[in-house]
């Protein structure tokens, strides 16, 4: 199969971003960016991705779509929403991390992750470093945010983490971010990255 055919098949079968699956319509505005950050927190522990996505949907359905709303909700409200998604073992610690993270976002960036972007000054590594200051966001969570947000923040492109690159190599595709970026239009970079991660997880 040619590279172009492989990429088309990837996008057709697996090219749904995790944000899209969680019901987040990504825009460069505070609420969607915060919901993406919340999703990254949920995906940052050893738990199945579909459970983390379901947990993000439950938090959203319960109204916790902004840091203000996350803080207004009680710790038990957060635990209960995570429990409805079967987000077990990590529900209590994650409820705490979400509350602390919302407070940090409000205190440091006045609730707007675009201020984090401004502070990073166009440096993608600085973006990742600042993201890692949030509770529960480590290198994995920062990589997930970069993968998903690269459609909004061009300085993050191309964002293909190690898991995506390993999957690409297994499919006979380039195993560098730059090589993979040459296969699709910029708008499709988040979809290709997500598709490769999904294939990697399936194996």
């Amino acid at each position: 199969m040619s590279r172009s055919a492989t990429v088309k098949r990837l996008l057709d079968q697996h090219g749904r971003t995790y944000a899209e699956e969680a019901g987040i319509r990504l825009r460069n505005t505070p609420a969607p960016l915060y919901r993406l950050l919340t999703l990254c927190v949920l995906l940052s522990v050893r738990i199945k991705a579909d459970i983390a996505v379901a947990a993000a949907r439950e938090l959203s359905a319960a109204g916790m779509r902004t840091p203000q709303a996350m803080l207004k909700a009680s710790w038990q409200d957060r635990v209960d929403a995570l429990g409805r998604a079967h987000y077990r073992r990590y529900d209590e610690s994650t409820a705490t991390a979400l509350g602390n993270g919302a407070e940090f976002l409000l205190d440091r960036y006045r609730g707007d992750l675009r201020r984090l972007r401004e502070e990073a000054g166009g440096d993608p590594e600085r973006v990742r470093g600042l993201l890692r200051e949030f509770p529960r966001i480590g290198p994995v969570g920062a990589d997930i945010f970069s993968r998903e947000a690269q459609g909004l923040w061009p300085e993050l492109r191309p964002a293909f983490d190690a898991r995506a690159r390993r999957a690409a190599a297994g499919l006979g595709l380039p195993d560098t971010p730059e090589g993979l970026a040459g296969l699709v239009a910029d708008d499709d970079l988040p979809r290709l990255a997500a598709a490769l991660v999904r294939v990697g997880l399936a194996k």
Side-chain angles (χ1 to χ4, degrees):
M1 186 180 296
S2 68
R3 284 183 175 181
S4 60
T6 298
V7 169
K8 184 179 186 304
R9 185 173 180 181
L10 274 170
L11 294 177
D12 287 347
Q13 296 185 0
H14 307 288
R16 191 180 189 199
T17 67
Y18 286 95
E20 184 182 0
E21 188 179 350
I24 304 168
R25 185 178 177 184
L26 273 186
R27 298 187 304 278
N28 193 34
T29 54
L33 290 171
Y34 175 66
R35 291 178 66 195
L36 174 60
L37 181 70
T38 298
L39 177 61
C40 293
V41 169
L42 297 168
L43 285 164
S44 290
V45 298
R46 296 178 66 86
I47 200 162
K48 290 182 178 179
D50 59 342
I51 293 176
V53 167
R57 283 184 167 276
E58 285 291 341
L59 289 165
S60 177
M64 294 174 240
R65 297 178 172 218
T66 66
Q68 294 89 343
M70 189 67 75
L71 270 183
K72 185 177 180 181
S74 69
W75 177 83
Q76 191 61 55
D77 289 337
R78 296 192 290 268
V79 170
D80 290 346
L82 296 172
R84 288 192 294 273
H86 307 290
Y87 195 92
R88 308 295 186 196
R89 288 179 55 204
Y90 303 102
D91 53 350
E92 295 186 353
S93 63
T94 299
T96 299
L98 289 170
N100 292 341
E103 186 172 17
F104 179 76
L105 178 57
L106 288 166
D107 289 346
R108 176 76 182 271
Y109 301 109
R110 286 181 278 171
D112 189 346
L113 282 168
R114 294 175 300 181
R115 297 183 188 278
L116 179 151
R117 183 189 185 190
E118 290 172 8
E119 185 172 325
D123 181 348
E125 285 306 314
R126 181 70 175 143
V127 170
R128 293 183 181 93
L130 292 172
L131 286 168
R132 290 197 294 270
E133 294 181 358
F134 284 86
R136 189 61 69 78
I137 296 287
V140 170
D143 282 344
I144 295 169
F145 188 96
S146 297
R147 271 190 353 233
E148 297 274 324
Q150 65 183 311
L152 297 175
W153 295 359
E155 66 271 24
L156 296 176
R157 303 172 189 157
F160 292 89
D161 58 22
R163 179 175 284 162
R165 297 196 303 271
R166 283 194 301 270
L171 294 170
L173 298 175
D175 61 358
T176 65
E178 294 74 18
L180 289 166
L183 299 176
V184 294
D186 287 348
D187 287 348
D188 280 331
L189 287 172
R191 296 180 60 226
L192 179 59
L196 288 168
V197 168
R198 291 178 188 281
V199 168
L201 287 174
K203 292 182 177 180

